[in-house]
Amino acid sequence: MEFNEEELTKILSGEGEVAEKAKTLLNLYNDNVNGLKMNRDDIKKEKEALKAKYEELETLNAKGAEDLKTLKAQLEANSPEEIRKAYETQRLEAEKAYKGAIAERDEKIKSFESQLAEVKQSEHHLKCVQEFNEAVAKFDIEPSGRNFLMDTIIGSKGEKFFERDLGNGNQLINQSGKSIGGEVDDFCSSDLGKKFLRNGNSGGGATGSGSSGSGALSGNPFLKGHENLTKQAELYRTNPALYQRYKQEAGV
């Protein structure tokens, strides 16, 4: 209830005892006074908050003015060309650092890819060796010729075979479409391959050391008295045409 003329007239003209009316007036007065006090406290708090904000802005303004003064002094001390050079130097340094980081990253990627390729190559070679060992297990091959035979058939790193999906999973085959087992069977069944077998008609390695004649000079490793199994196997692997010609010339 507001403390105004209308409310006072209503109270005083109404029915009731004077004491009761006086009490009502006093209550109305106290309510209005208390409300004014509360409003005054809120206004005081807002004023203090505004004052603190104003002081904060004044501090920031003073700092901004000081920074502007410093910047102006720096600009006046340096010519536009010197400023441009300074920024250009900073740009070049940043660009150099960026290119260095990119180069380092590329080098790490290259190194990782190289290591990954080596691991894959080693896994492939191991798989070829395992398949080769399984294939030659049924043959009684001279120990001295086993490694040479393996290099002849699969290569020093298994490079003569590659994996291909033939419908029932990946299998190792060569350019001729043969498996390692198939190549081992064909080689050990050949005249040259039989010479690497313990039950064959000749041992492994070079044989014969007779006097030098036309056979020795010709370099034909199939000539009687100058047989050289290592040379024969090398020709079989690297030059099949010359291998067959030498065999024909030697009448083997």
Side-chain angles (χ1 to χ4, degrees), residues 175-226:
Q175 293 292 342
S176 301
K178 288 185 178 181
S179 65
I180 293 177
E183 286 289 358
V184 169
D185 290 345
D186 289 348
F187 184 83
C188 290
S189 298
S190 68
D191 292 338
L192 175 60
K194 290 177 181 178
K195 295 178 181 180
F196 284 88
L197 304 179
R198 285 180 175 174
N199 57 357
N201 55 17
S202 177
T207 60
S209 58
S211 60
S212 60
S214 61
L217 294 175
S218 70
N220 189 331
F222 291 94
L223 290 177
K224 188 175 181 180
H226 300 281

Side-chain angles (χ1 to χ4, degrees), residues 4 11 20 35 46 65 72 82 110 129 143 148 167 185 195 224 237:
N4 54 37
I11 293 171
E20 186 66 27
E46 291 178 2
K72 184 178 180 180
E82 290 176 335
K110 184 178 179 181
V129 170
F148 188 82
D185 290 345
K195 295 178 181 180
K224 188 175 181 180
R237 175 170 59 91

Side-chain angles (χ1 to χ4, degrees), residues 85-119:
K85 288 181 179 179
Y87 278 114
E88 182 67 12
T89 299
Q90 293 178 5
R91 185 189 68 79
L92 291 175
E93 290 177 352
E95 183 177 338
K96 182 179 179 181
Y98 173 76
K99 289 182 177 180
I102 294 296
E104 183 179 357
R105 182 207 63 183
D106 291 345
E107 189 64 29
K108 288 181 179 180
I109 292 175
K110 184 178 179 181
S111 176
F112 173 77
E113 290 176 344
S114 177
Q115 294 175 10
L116 182 61
E118 290 179 1
V119 170

Side-chain angles (χ1 to χ4, degrees), residues 9 15 29 47 51 66 86 99 128 145 175 195 220 230:
T9 302
E15 297 180 358
Y29 171 79
K47 183 179 178 181
K51 181 180 179 182
E66 187 65 28
K99 289 182 177 180
C128 290
Q175 293 292 342
K195 295 178 181 180
N220 189 331
T230 301

Side-chain angles (χ1 to χ4, degrees), residues 4-24:
N4 54 37
E5 183 179 353
E6 182 181 355
E7 290 299 329
L8 289 174
T9 302
K10 184 186 295 184
I11 293 171
L12 293 174
S13 62
E15 297 180 358
E17 298 294 331
V18 174
E20 186 66 27
K21 292 179 180 181
K23 183 178 180 182
T24 301

